[in-house]
Amino acid sequence: SVFGFARVTPFLERHCDVHDTCGIANLHGTPSLFGGIVSIVVPVWIESAGAPYRQALGVIATLATGALSGALVGKLMIPFGDDHVRMADDGPYWEVADDFPADDV
Protein backbone atom coordinates (compact mmCIF):
# COMPACT_ATOMS: atom_id res chain seq x y z
CA SER A 1 0.00 0.00 0.00
CA VAL A 2 2.76 2.44 0.90
CA PHE A 3 4.58 1.72 -2.36
CA GLY A 4 1.32 2.37 -4.21
CA PHE A 5 0.80 5.74 -2.51
CA ALA A 6 4.41 6.77 -3.05
CA ARG A 7 5.06 5.46 -6.57
CA VAL A 8 2.11 3.88 -8.36
CA THR A 9 -0.46 6.67 -7.85
CA PRO A 10 1.84 9.45 -9.11
CA PHE A 11 2.80 7.26 -12.09
CA LEU A 12 -0.85 6.60 -12.99
CA GLU A 13 -1.74 10.28 -12.65
CA ARG A 14 1.21 11.40 -14.75
CA HIS A 15 1.20 8.79 -17.53
CA CYS A 16 -2.31 7.30 -17.66
CA ASP A 17 -4.46 10.28 -16.60
CA VAL A 18 -5.98 8.12 -13.85
CA HIS A 19 -6.84 9.85 -10.57
CA ASP A 20 -7.62 7.84 -7.44
CA THR A 21 -9.20 10.51 -5.26
CA CYS A 22 -9.49 8.47 -2.07
CA GLY A 23 -6.58 6.06 -2.53
CA ILE A 24 -8.95 3.12 -2.83
CA ALA A 25 -6.65 1.20 -5.18
CA ASN A 26 -3.77 1.36 -2.70
CA LEU A 27 -5.82 0.88 0.45
CA HIS A 28 -8.05 -1.97 -0.74
CA GLY A 29 -7.03 -3.07 -4.24
CA THR A 30 -3.34 -3.82 -3.83
CA PRO A 31 -3.66 -5.74 -0.52
CA SER A 32 -6.61 -7.76 -1.83
CA LEU A 33 -4.75 -8.61 -5.03
CA PHE A 34 -1.75 -9.68 -2.96
CA GLY A 35 -4.04 -11.78 -0.73
CA GLY A 36 -5.67 -13.37 -3.77
CA ILE A 37 -2.31 -14.32 -5.27
CA VAL A 38 -1.12 -15.74 -1.94
CA SER A 39 -4.35 -17.75 -1.67
CA ILE A 40 -3.53 -19.29 -5.05
CA VAL A 41 0.12 -20.07 -4.27
CA VAL A 42 -0.16 -21.41 -0.70
CA PRO A 43 -2.49 -24.35 -1.50
CA VAL A 44 -0.01 -25.45 -4.17
CA TRP A 45 2.67 -25.66 -1.49
CA ILE A 46 0.46 -27.71 0.83
CA GLU A 47 -0.75 -29.90 -2.04
CA SER A 48 -4.46 -29.07 -1.90
CA ALA A 49 -5.99 -30.30 -5.16
CA GLY A 50 -8.79 -28.04 -6.42
CA ALA A 51 -8.37 -24.91 -4.29
CA PRO A 52 -5.77 -23.05 -6.40
CA TYR A 53 -7.90 -23.35 -9.51
CA ARG A 54 -11.00 -22.01 -7.74
CA GLN A 55 -9.06 -19.22 -6.07
CA ALA A 56 -7.54 -18.17 -9.42
CA LEU A 57 -11.02 -18.04 -10.98
CA GLY A 58 -12.22 -15.96 -8.03
CA VAL A 59 -9.34 -13.48 -8.37
CA ILE A 60 -9.88 -13.18 -12.13
CA ALA A 61 -13.64 -12.72 -11.73
CA THR A 62 -13.13 -10.08 -9.04
CA LEU A 63 -10.60 -8.15 -11.14
CA ALA A 64 -12.84 -8.32 -14.20
CA THR A 65 -15.89 -7.16 -12.24
CA GLY A 66 -13.96 -4.27 -10.68
CA ALA A 67 -12.41 -3.17 -13.96
CA LEU A 68 -15.66 -3.36 -15.93
CA SER A 69 -17.80 -1.66 -13.29
CA GLY A 70 -15.16 1.04 -12.77
CA ALA A 71 -14.93 1.71 -16.50
CA LEU A 72 -18.71 1.83 -16.82
CA VAL A 73 -19.13 4.26 -13.92
CA GLY A 74 -16.26 6.37 -15.28
CA LYS A 75 -17.95 6.62 -18.67
CA LEU A 76 -21.32 7.39 -17.08
CA MET A 77 -19.78 10.23 -15.04
CA ILE A 78 -18.18 12.00 -18.03
CA PRO A 79 -21.24 14.19 -18.74
CA PHE A 80 -21.15 15.45 -15.14
CA GLY A 81 -17.49 16.48 -15.30
CA ASP A 82 -16.25 20.04 -15.58
CA ASP A 83 -13.23 20.46 -17.85
CA HIS A 84 -12.38 23.79 -16.24
CA VAL A 85 -11.94 22.40 -12.73
CA ARG A 86 -8.91 20.34 -11.76
CA MET A 87 -9.83 16.96 -10.27
CA ALA A 88 -9.77 16.82 -6.46
CA ASP A 89 -9.39 20.60 -6.24
CA ASP A 90 -12.00 21.76 -3.74
CA GLY A 91 -11.11 25.44 -4.13
CA PRO A 92 -14.01 26.30 -6.50
CA TYR A 93 -16.55 24.71 -4.13
CA TRP A 94 -15.19 25.27 -0.61
CA GLU A 95 -13.11 27.75 1.33
CA VAL A 96 -9.57 26.39 1.22
CA ALA A 97 -6.77 27.67 3.44
CA ASP A 98 -4.39 30.05 1.65
CA ASP A 99 -1.35 28.15 2.91
CA PHE A 100 -2.60 24.85 1.48
CA PRO A 101 -0.53 24.10 -1.66
CA ALA A 102 -2.91 23.31 -4.51
CA ASP A 103 -0.21 21.39 -6.41
CA ASP A 104 -0.12 18.70 -3.72
CA VAL A 105 -3.76 17.79 -4.23
Side-chain angles (χ1 to χ4, degrees), residues 2-3 7 11 15 20 23 26 30 33-35 40 46 48 54 59 61-62 73 91 94 98-99 105:
V2 174
F3 179 77
R7 302 287 185 204
F11 176 83
H15 298 292
D20 186 8
N26 299 317
T30 304
L33 183 59
F34 176 74
I40 294 168
I46 61 172
S48 178
R54 287 187 221 126
V59 170
T62 302
V73 169
W94 302 94
D98 293 334
D99 62 342
V105 177

Side-chain angles (χ1 to χ4, degrees), residues 13-101:
E13 288 176 359
R14 201 171 31 252
H15 298 292
C16 302
D17 198 28
V18 172
H19 185 78
D20 186 8
T21 308
C22 299
I24 298 299
N26 299 317
L27 186 62
H28 300 288
T30 304
S32 67
L33 183 59
F34 176 74
I37 292 170
V38 168
S39 71
I40 294 168
V41 173
V42 168
V44 172
W45 287 339
I46 61 172
E47 299 175 12
S48 178
Y53 173 72
R54 287 187 221 126
Q55 285 298 117
L57 286 177
V59 170
I60 291 168
T62 302
L63 287 173
T65 301
L68 291 173
S69 62
L72 176 64
V73 169
K75 293 294 181 191
L76 289 173
M77 293 304 294
I78 287 174
F80 301 104
D82 187 352
D83 292 337
H84 305 295
V85 177
R86 189 169 159 225
M87 291 181 69
D89 182 6
D90 291 334
Y93 308 107
W94 302 94
E95 289 185 31
V96 180
D98 293 334
D99 62 342
F100 187 76

